[in-house]
Amino acid sequence: MHARQDPPADTAARLAALRAELAGRGLAGFVVPRADEHQGEFVPPRAERLAWLTGFTGSAGLAIVLADRAAIFVDGRYTLQLRAQADPNQFLFRHITDEPPDRWLAETLKPGEKLGFDPWLHTVDGAAKLAAACAKAGAVLEPCADNPLDAVWPEQPAPPLAPVAPHPLAHAGKSAQDKRKELAAELTEAKADVAVLTLPDSIAWLLNIRGGDVAHTPLALGFALLYAGGQVDLFMDPRKLDAEVTAHLGNEVMVDDPADFGPALDALGQAGKTVRLDPATAAAAIEARLAAAGAQVQRGADPCALPKACKNETELDGARAAHRRDGAALTRFLAWLAQEAPKGKLSELEAADRLAAFRGEDAELRDLSFDTIAGAGPNGAIVHYRVDAASNRRLEPGSLFLIDSGAQYPDGTTDVTRTIAVGAPTAEMRDRFTRVLKGHIALATARFPKGTTGSQLDTLARRPLWEAGLDYDHGTGHGVGSYLGVHEGPQRISKLPSKVALKPGMICSNEPGYYKAGAYGIRIENLVAVRPADGMAEAEKEMYAFETLTLAPIDRALVDTEIMTADEIAWLDAYHARVRETIGPLVDEETRNWLEDATAALA
Amino acid sequence: MHARQDPPADTAARLAALRAELAGRGLAGFVVPRADEHQGEFVPPRAERLAWLTGFTGSAGLAIVLADRAAIFVDGRYTLQLRAQADPNQFLFRHITDEPPDRWLAETLKPGEKLGFDPWLHTVDGAAKLAAACAKAGAVLEPCADNPLDAVWPEQPAPPLAPVAPHPLAHAGKSAQDKRKELAAELTEAKADVAVLTLPDSIAWLLNIRGGDVAHTPLALGFALLYAGGQVDLFMDPRKLDAEVTAHLGNEVMVDDPADFGPALDALGQAGKTVRLDPATAAAAIEARLAAAGAQVQRGADPCALPKACKNETELDGARAAHRRDGAALTRFLAWLAQEAPKGKLSELEAADRLAAFRGEDAELRDLSFDTIAGAGPNGAIVHYRVDAASNRRLEPGSLFLIDSGAQYPDGTTDVTRTIAVGAPTAEMRDRFTRVLKGHIALATARFPKGTTGSQLDTLARRPLWEAGLDYDHGTGHGVGSYLGVHEGPQRISKLPSKVALKPGMICSNEPGYYKAGAYGIRIENLVAVRPADGMAEAEKEMYAFETLTLAPIDRALVDTEIMTADEIAWLDAYHARVRETIGPLVDEETRNWLEDATAALA
């Protein structure tokens, strides 16, 4: 689980120390993103600079510290949390999309000022945006060779050193050698000599290794260079690699000290190499160093991103197996919840702990894939709610309980949300739940031609809500890794434009929702895999469909069949029959009996 | 109607003359786009350089002439037409998206070569792409101060001089003065001193004028500068403007000779002005001249684009009136067609002419809004088919006839497609037609929150086809002007990503289709206007819906109610009742009797 940062007692002192450091360097200010060198969702403790400085522990945000003012920018998920954790006397609180940092910088900086930033913590694209904002004010964005915040953070933790293990072929389905060869051929075709890999999940996928440097995702932090000949230089602390994993990596993978990464970039430049770099994910420092050394930087997508997203048959079989075990644990939890919740004593924390305990009985469990969201009543309406002792609510009769959770197994990553009626739901709750379900079914049953993007499908999930003037303010689906990140690209199902077509093997979440502030939240989330569509003899196009991977009952007490079509009812009944037949044999008799009822046909 | 260019008898001679001219100027080649200085869909005869040089008369395309080879690039609509019109001994034929010109240039040009282009005929964005392609080959893109093709085209027509007329307030709904004031306030807010207007439809809208310089769209070609004070400099040949229109323009609009436009840009630069310019539509020459003279170029959208797209209530009332008259003409045609087509003698040309004649009985008709597409049988499967004497087909029993047409009236622009069964349709035709109709209804009945883009809605129209493995390879809807372009932006309904939200007053087409190559084509097109959604008492969002403007029967013989929902059948019956009640009183008794049957309820 993710270590929580306590709100700092001495924000003012830390801020003063940072400002003194900046003044000594001739900087008018400094940007503190919630980011590490790899732009990961989960970062190691030493990269929790934003939390150390401000107290704010959300998974996304940015502070800008100037001599006379400082501001923290967060998105809508985190406005309440920011107010609870950070000091309004020290920081201005800003909404990151309504009042974006670049606009604030353009209005606040003075001509001639220098704004410092750590080029290892910002992507090429991100740094370019900041630089443009500074330029608007006549100021300059200046990279700092070493991070001034680190200079005033005496107890900053050391980098993590979790051991790295091979990800066996039985789970990976393709050898690292084959992956390297295939990507090498692509680089050759694209006339690139080498690609810089900065995302630890790309490296983990490419080399079939897994680590433990951050919470919830089995990453080994490091950088790599993939050459057009198929060789790899892996810049990773050798203390993380034992003899077994070194043997697994093989002769074509050289392990180098992380300190040698910069000089290796210089060498590429001096040799005039053409170097592929993803400007959306790679640190600005890398491009700057390459360019300064004379390399030809070829901006383009991380070559691992797309093949990693398209799971092979072994990975899909692994995902199915992981979902069977995970579904059994969740079903046991739901049966237990059906017993306990009506008593009116259960809390969110107890429920989340019990679900984790059911999952923990599986020896294959490696970690939860994220902090469980367990929202009772109005807490369910907070989309990224995270229960703690202060917010912990009782599950009360007449309320809804939303529980969004997932796990990491060596054969797959899960992510599932169920919304449960505690006692008798209102007609409005049933109407809203059923609209969310109709949207979920519309997406689950979609058939679409090759080339279709997730953006094109997003509306299918929203339409039943739109018909009642309702909507939800989050995406409908994110990519999911194979014993890797619970959020991964490049595909997504979202109203935001995407140019990435859905391809067979991609795993996505299907998670429409509805949130009534102060009252309740609803979300129904299954993972789905893109597959060739069956039984379309007359099809003129190559057609794809989704296979639903997640197996757990959907609360029938919340389903209003009056507003469902016959096809929708048939889908739910068939899904429930599959859950019953697959999960029934994997659970105890008491759970199985409950499951019989919970999955009984509506029609 | 649009004048057709005959295929040149002497392509080789024209090409040789151009190559000699290029050699004399030290140019390795020259780019010949199908474009004028205003990037319009319809261009005046003097801008038909591509047709003059190559014989190809399509509405989009590009030739690149090098010393030893030349290529023509067209999209999928025009590959057949290109083959029929241009000489394969002189030109390579290329697909503009599969084998784009920039890739061809990057592979074909030699280091150090200069590729000429006319910077008045390419947008800022377009020229940047060409320049990047040249740079890849180590070559240089060089602007030509005067067009070398014009130098070898002795009979090049003069610029058009059609008279300009005021567009009265009764149709425009807002005075030009009010429009100028509102946009001026926006420019002031955006810290721009002046905006360059290069699109004649923007100028027509802003100044409430209409002209006749090109076919099918009442444009007066010219440029304008809109100042942050609300004044306008209009660069337009004074011979097009009589005393009435000059009085209508008023004291705050200065008419200048087109030759003074360039010097006016220089003056803006010399005064250090900040000048708004739309890089997607403005000629590269304009930005280059402004920049050279010292102006601050502020790249941004044409300020007229969005307000022009959002029709006011007067314009919407005009559109409704125009659609009633246009629907009456189309209904008379359909009744006549129902009589004549079964006789098996009717040709596409006769049908198109007869429809034009019915429209011509309306004294308000100003022009057709595009060349009628009248496709019988397999010709209907050619999406942008244009009938001529050679391609003209008979309407045969057992076939489908697709007719896509529209008109320009002072109160509105129309665009409508109907597909008619000639004799008894096959079950497959009825299935496909009904799927297209289901998609059309899904879009027509969509309710969506403020902020939704056309990209988000596109899938609703495709889904019934996707379910059978079918699709169509064109957009679902384009914007339509108010007695202006039948195609206008910035909104569209398309699977291509769009960031432009649909707003009340926008008029779009709703035109899903299905095309079976060599057999038949189906399209059902109505125009719709975005309106606030009614009767949504519980709505939590500001919700919009579409009002269907087009009024003409949809062929019931092609409707298979077996695969329709009750709601879909009810929509069609209600639409037909509205057509009957609105159009019935406007047509002769014979047509009215036919209309009774054609619009009878299915349920």
Side-chain angles (χ1 to χ4, degrees), chain A residues 428 432 441-443 445-449 452 455-460 462-463 466-471 473 495 497-499 514-516 536 538-541 543, chain B residues 428 432 441-443 445-449 452 455-460 462-463 466-471 473 495 497-499 514-516 536 538-541 543:
Chain A
E428 182 192 275
R432 303 302 185 254
I441 295 171
L443 190 58
T445 58
R447 292 165 170 247
F448 48 95
T452 299
S455 309
Q456 291 179 256
L457 300 184
D458 177 79
T459 296
L460 299 176
R462 295 182 195 273
R463 200 184 182 200
W466 286 359
E467 283 171 359
L470 312 172
D471 199 2
D473 286 333
K495 65 182 175 184
S498 165
K499 288 184 176 172
Y514 170 74
Y515 309 91
K516 184 164 180 168
M536 303 194 73
E538 289 205 317
E540 294 174 356
K541 307 267 168 182
M543 300 296 295
Chain B
E428 182 192 275
R432 303 301 185 255
I441 295 171
L443 190 59
T445 59
R447 292 165 168 246
F448 48 94
T452 299
S455 308
Q456 292 179 255
L457 300 184
D458 176 80
T459 296
L460 298 177
R462 295 182 196 274
R463 200 185 182 200
W466 286 359
E467 284 171 359
L470 312 172
D471 200 2
D473 286 332
K495 65 182 176 183
S498 166
K499 288 183 175 172
Y514 169 75
Y515 308 92
K516 183 161 180 170
M536 303 193 73
E538 290 205 317
E540 295 175 355
K541 308 266 169 184
M543 300 296 294

Side-chain angles (χ1 to χ4, degrees), chain A residues 392-414:
Chain A
N392 193 19
R393 280 185 72 96
R394 202 79 51 85
L395 277 60
E396 289 167 357
S399 74
L400 298 184
F401 178 53
L402 182 157
I403 186 152
D404 184 352
S405 67
Q408 292 285 6
Y409 306 96
D411 48 356
T413 301
T414 68

Side-chain angles (χ1 to χ4, degrees), chain A residues 486-498:
Chain A
V486 73
H487 296 136
E488 75 167 27
Q491 80 277 18
R492 64 173 179 225
I493 300 172
S494 162
K495 65 182 175 184
L496 298 174
S498 165

Side-chain angles (χ1 to χ4, degrees), chain B residues 161-207:
Chain B
L161 286 173
V164 178
H167 186 56
L169 193 59
H171 294 320
K174 182 180 279 192
S175 73
Q177 192 180 22
D178 287 349
K179 293 179 182 177
R180 287 190 280 107
K181 289 244 165 90
E182 287 176 17
L183 295 201
E186 276 180 37
L187 289 181
T188 303
E189 165 84 20
K191 296 181 180 160
D193 297 309
V194 56
V196 184
L197 305 182
T198 67
L199 298 176
D201 52 340
S202 288
I203 296 168
W205 173 84
L206 178 67
L207 301 181

Side-chain angles (χ1 to χ4, degrees), chain B residues 60 84 87 174 207 239 244 256 333 376 384 398 460 489 536:
Chain B
D87 181 352
K174 182 180 279 192
L207 301 181
R239 287 173 289 176
E244 183 201 357
D256 297 302
F333 167 76
H384 284 257
L460 298 177
M536 303 193 73

Side-chain angles (χ1 to χ4, degrees), chain A residues 36 38-44 160-164 199-205 209-222 236 240 308 408 483-485:
Chain A
D36 68 1
H38 308 283
Q39 298 294 325
E41 177 176 359
F42 301 107
V43 301
L161 286 173
V164 179
L199 299 177
D201 52 341
S202 289
I203 296 169
W205 172 83
I209 55 174
R210 296 296 186 268
D213 284 341
V214 299
H216 302 313
T217 313
L219 301 179
L221 299 183
M236 189 172 280
K240 298 199 275 195
K308 171 163 63 66
Q408 292 285 6
Y483 188 38
L484 272 179

